[in-house]
Amino acid sequence: MNREEKVKCLLEQQALAPHLAESFREFLHPNKQHLFNDISENIISNYILPFSIAPNFLVNDKIYLVPMVIEESSVVAAASKAASFWARNGGFRTKVINTLKNGQIHFTWMGDCAALNSFKDEILELINNVTERITKKMRKRGGGIMDVEFKSIVNMANTHQALIKFKTADSMGANFINTCLETIAPHLMDFINQHQQLKSAEAAKSIMCILSNYTPECLVECTASCDIEQLQPYAGDYSVQEFAERYRTAVEIAINDPYRAVTHNKGIFNGIDAVVLATGNDFRAIEAGAQAYAARSGSYSSLTSLNINNNQFTYTLKVPLALGTVGGLTNTHPMAKAAMQILQQPSAEQLMQLVAAAGLANNFGAVASLVTSGIQKGHMKLHLSNVLNHLEASEAEKSSTLKHFKDTAVSYSMVEQFLKELRK
Ligand code: MEV
């Protein structure tokens, strides 16, 4: 079915009200719809989210404007405020620790992985030979297949994996890795089955080949550091020392309590996801990998850590971010292309650093609010326009309501009440 037929079908099945069919039509792009039609399947319209800019990100001494795509009010404001604050205090220092990505070939075999690992060099040579043509361009760009290791799956008899390490230069590399794995698997099984010292009673059989979105070695670190005295703009009614102590306690709670850690990290992902989405990267992959990293000790914990020493407040985020700046939506979605331009066409490593800075900025703003004024005061002020739209306020009503709540606390029911009075 073409788009019109799909909409007609939905209308006939009464799955869609006629006015929704009309708004689906309204949200089609007037002249670039063909670009969006090719992105996914069964498309009947586009889903619009705000594209915002958080300015003043000073990262390794260079200023960036950071594009953010997010539906939640106050996130961009918090990122912008924190970025300006840190720009006045030395900015964010970032470094990429490593960029290794992983692929897995799972297989059944009645042998011991130690034996396979003892043939590692030979197997790596085989892997490189059979993927020669696929990896040629990637090797020119500094990537390729870096290593292989065999591991047995815990709690499963005769079930193993070849864990293959890749570098994928500026691409996220999912297709590259998967193509390599699917090429390698039959050769690897043949190698095992034909080797005198490896063959087992039952032949080795490949079960599946896929990249792993757990990339603990595709890691970036971002730090912001200042004298405690400089924290005054965030300290609210507290002294800077009290503020720093309260902040330290909040981070320690997030390190030790998984319930808090999830929310603390969610504040980090407010920044991370918004930039990942703006640049057309796979936010599910980023989330899955980084959340698993947060639980690498066996207990889910904070992705940030704080060090207060010699009157110096040093806040650090360490997070795996397997991002790409070539291929995928990054180069086809017009808004992702715009985001990349605004970020000055970063390499994948540079993008990892900018995304980490956005994550740290948002988390810093959130925790600073939580330990001082509380989150609702600022959040509800910025959320007020959403509440007013929800209550279908007219422009005149919006203007009176904004005036009324300028210096008072905002809640949904208070706004509702105020409008009710206004409409009497
Ligand atoms: C809301 O989007 C994010 C926060 O809950 C993060 C946090 O609690 O640290 C405010």
Side-chain angles (χ1 to χ4, degrees):
M1 287 185 209
N2 62 29
R3 193 198 84 88
E4 281 71 29
E5 288 165 341
K6 283 175 199 141
V7 170
K8 195 165 155 249
C9 177
L10 289 170
L11 285 167
E12 278 165 9
Q13 291 179 21
Q14 299 187 343
L16 194 66
H19 75 278
L20 284 181
E22 183 48 30
S23 57
F24 282 152
R25 201 188 52 73
E26 269 171 23
F27 282 96
L28 292 173
H29 197 283
N31 46 44
K32 294 211 170 110
Q33 188 55 37
H34 60 282
L35 292 177
F36 303 101
N37 287 348
D38 288 340
I39 290 176
S40 172
E41 304 80 35
N42 295 357
I43 293 167
I44 56 168
S45 188
N46 301 312
Y47 188 110
I48 296 185
L49 284 173
F51 183 110
S52 312
I53 299 285
N56 299 317
F57 266 83
L58 183 64
V59 181
N60 298 338
D61 300 322
K62 197 168 159 190
I63 278 283
Y64 293 87
L65 301 167
V66 174
M68 300 179 85
V69 170
I70 189 155
E71 89 297 347
E72 186 177 341
S73 51
S74 81
V75 168
V76 179
S80 307
K81 183 178 166 189
S84 299
F85 169 79
W86 285 110
R88 293 192 301 277
N89 289 285
F92 299 100
R93 295 270 146 211
T94 58
K95 68 168 187 259
V96 170
I97 295 167
N98 209 340
T99 57
L100 283 176
K101 292 166 188 173
N102 301 308
Q104 298 179 294
I105 299 172
H106 285 100
F107 58 98
T108 52
W109 175 57
M110 296 173 81
D112 177 356
C113 274
L116 275 176
N117 280 319
S118 72
F119 289 103
K120 192 176 120 162
D121 291 346
E122 217 173 309
I123 293 173
L124 195 55
E125 200 182 324
L126 169 86
I127 288 176
N128 279 318
N129 286 342
V130 299
T131 54
E132 168 87 41
R133 292 224 323 265
I134 310 166
T135 59
K136 194 170 173 195
K137 262 169 76 185
M138 191 60 89
R139 280 183 280 120
K140 276 204 183 121
R141 292 193 269 144
I145 296 173
M146 315 314 282
D147 203 4
V148 61
E149 186 189 350
F150 291 90
K151 289 181 175 190
S152 295
I153 305 297
V154 182
N155 297 332
M156 289 182 79
N158 305 329
T159 313
H160 318 273
Q161 64 172 298
L163 185 63
I164 304 182
K165 309 267 165 190
F166 293 83
K167 280 201 177 180
T168 60
D170 282 331
S171 67
M172 191 257 186
N175 288 325
F176 169 74
I177 294 175
N178 292 337
T179 305
C180 286
L181 296 172
E182 289 184 4
T183 305
I184 295 164
H187 294 280
L188 180 62
M189 294 307 106
D190 285 350
F191 179 88
I192 297 172
N193 293 330
Q194 285 159 18
H195 203 293
Q196 280 308 326
Q197 287 161 268
L198 296 174
K199 57 179 169 188
S200 66
E202 259 179 49
K205 273 194 227 98
S206 155
I207 300 290
M208 58 184 173
C209 303
I210 189 78
L211 90 169
S212 170
N213 289 119
Y214 187 45
T215 57
E217 293 163 294
C218 187
L219 198 61
V220 59
E221 188 179 274
C222 175
T223 295
S225 187
C226 70
D227 278 353
I228 285 186
E229 278 66 38
Q230 306 303 323
L231 292 167
Q232 190 61 58
Y234 275 97
D237 294 337
Y238 296 96
S239 72
V240 282
Q241 275 77 18
E242 276 174 314
F243 168 74
E245 268 319 307
R246 291 173 68 80
Y247 198 106
R248 189 214 301 265
T249 307
V251 176
E252 273 169 22
I253 293 169
I255 289 171
N256 291 298
D257 174 51
Y259 280 83
R260 174 56 202 153
V262 170
T263 322
H264 179 92
N265 290 346
K266 190 271 185 186
I268 298 171
F269 285 103
N270 277 344
I272 288 182
D273 284 358
V275 189
V276 170
L277 207 49
T279 55
N281 270 280
D282 181 343
F283 57 92
R284 288 88 55 216
I286 293 299
E287 283 274 358
Q291 305 293 3
Y293 184 76
R296 68 195 178 286
S297 70
S299 168
Y300 188 93
S301 182
S302 165
L303 287 166
T304 60
S305 57
L306 179 68
N307 185 18
I308 300 178
N309 206 355
N310 285 338
N311 219 35
Q312 195 72 14
F313 178 99
T314 303
Y315 198 39
T316 301
L317 166 67
K318 219 187 225 189
V319 65
L321 294 172
L323 294 167
T325 54
V326 297
L329 220 52
T330 310
N331 308 113
T332 50
H333 195 297
M335 300 311 276
K337 280 208 278 198
M340 293 298 289
Q341 213 170 77
I342 292 166
L343 288 170
Q344 306 172 40
Q345 305 297 358
S347 65
E349 289 198 23
Q350 284 164 336
L351 184 60
M352 285 168 77
Q353 298 173 69
L354 296 169
V355 169
L360 189 67
N362 264 112
N363 167 258
F364 173 76
V367 176
S369 292
L370 289 171
V371 300
T372 54
S373 60
I375 208 79
Q376 283 309 81
K377 191 167 163 229
H379 178 74
M380 286 310 287
K381 279 261 175 320
L382 294 167
H383 189 57
L384 181 52
S385 43
N386 284 333
V387 175
L388 286 167
N389 284 337
H390 191 89
L391 296 169
E392 296 178 352
S394 67
E395 287 309 311
E397 287 170 342
K398 279 184 187 172
S399 151
S400 316
T401 318
L402 289 173
K403 232 179 258 160
H404 176 82
F405 285 97
K406 192 163 176 286
D407 299 310
T408 37
V410 180
S411 76
Y412 186 94
S413 60
M414 283 159 76
V415 176
E416 196 174 30
Q417 190 58 37
F418 179 79
L419 273 182
K420 215 177 195 176
E421 293 295 319
L422 204 64
R423 285 168 177 170
K424 258 184 194 166

